[in-house]
Amino acid sequence: MACALSPLCAQTTICKLTVQDLEKPITVEDSHPLFGWQMNSQEKGQKQTAYQLVVTRESDGKVVWNSGKKNSSESQNIKYLGTSLQPETAYAWKLNVWDKDGKQYESASRFETGLMNKTIYAWDGAQWIGSSENRLDAATQSYFEIATKFQIKSGDKMSLVMGAG
């Protein structure tokens, strides 16, 4: 019997794990973001009956939120209800989903928070880097190249901010 016709071959997966509608974002600016995911199945009538979210801080593995098992088919806009997330911090999250037969599926992802401060003062102490070596020819090129040299004089973090007009 072909696998496609056999109920034993039906696959169910949990995919497209999102935080603030993005997969693995690195600049979440909300201390209580929204989570989402999709259940993908070849099995007819398959559905989610419950979920559990566990969010941990990557630096020390501390659990910052455990939703507990929630009997719900909801899988979008699930609000984080743990302690306020901290700025510039990496988090991992594990998702358990139960299907119509009580079978459990597990998936995991991660995200990072940004500055979490919308004021210009959040950039105090930033050292801006500029370059006089830029070759930008939008009329004839469909891509741009910026070549420059830089050195981080203190600290171990940096960001690259680019803009075009």
Side-chain angles (χ1 to χ4, degrees):
M1 175 183 279
C3 186
L5 301 176
S6 171
L8 297 175
C9 295
Q11 281 190 305
T12 299
T13 58
I14 306 304
C15 58
K16 299 194 182 197
L17 278 68
T18 62
V19 179
Q20 296 296 90
D21 295 319
L22 298 169
E23 293 183 47
K24 297 183 180 177
I26 58 171
T27 55
V28 172
E29 297 293 334
D30 191 333
S31 61
H32 290 84
L34 302 175
F35 290 83
W37 59 90
Q38 292 181 6
M39 175 183 263
N40 186 7
S41 184
Q42 297 171 351
E43 182 180 342
K44 288 189 181 200
Q46 183 60 285
K47 66 180 182 177
Q48 172 185 307
T49 60
Y51 71 85
Q52 177 186 23
L53 283 165
V54 179
V55 180
T56 58
R57 193 169 41 225
E58 285 187 351
S59 62
D60 60 6
K62 180 182 178 192
V63 174
V64 294
W65 183 47
N66 183 339
S67 70
K69 185 176 180 180
K70 301 290 183 188
N71 293 319
S72 173
S73 61
E74 292 183 31
S75 63
Q76 296 299 313
N77 298 318
I78 307 299
K79 186 153 182 89
Y80 170 84
L81 298 175
T83 58
S84 291
L85 298 175
Q86 298 302 304
E88 301 180 80
T89 305
Y91 294 92
W93 62 292
K94 185 174 80 167
L95 170 68
N96 293 304
V97 171
W98 286 266
D99 72 5
K100 64 182 178 63
D101 299 316
K103 184 176 177 187
Q104 183 178 340
Y105 302 87
E106 185 177 300
S107 195
S109 189
R110 67 180 307 277
F111 65 97
E112 295 180 28
T113 53
L115 294 176
M116 299 176 86
N117 184 338
K118 295 179 182 177
T119 68
I120 192 67
Y121 302 109
W123 292 94
D124 281 354
Q127 296 178 357
W128 299 98
I129 301 170
S131 173
S132 59
E133 298 179 38
N134 27 354
R135 293 182 294 259
L136 303 175
D137 182 4
T140 60
Q141 302 288 331
S142 60
Y143 66 92
F144 305 100
E145 178 181 335
I146 298 174
T148 189
K149 295 178 184 176
F150 64 89
Q151 178 181 14
I152 299 175
K153 293 185 178 184
S154 65
D156 61 355
K157 296 180 182 177
M158 71 166 260
S159 296
L160 176 63
V161 179
M162 295 179 63

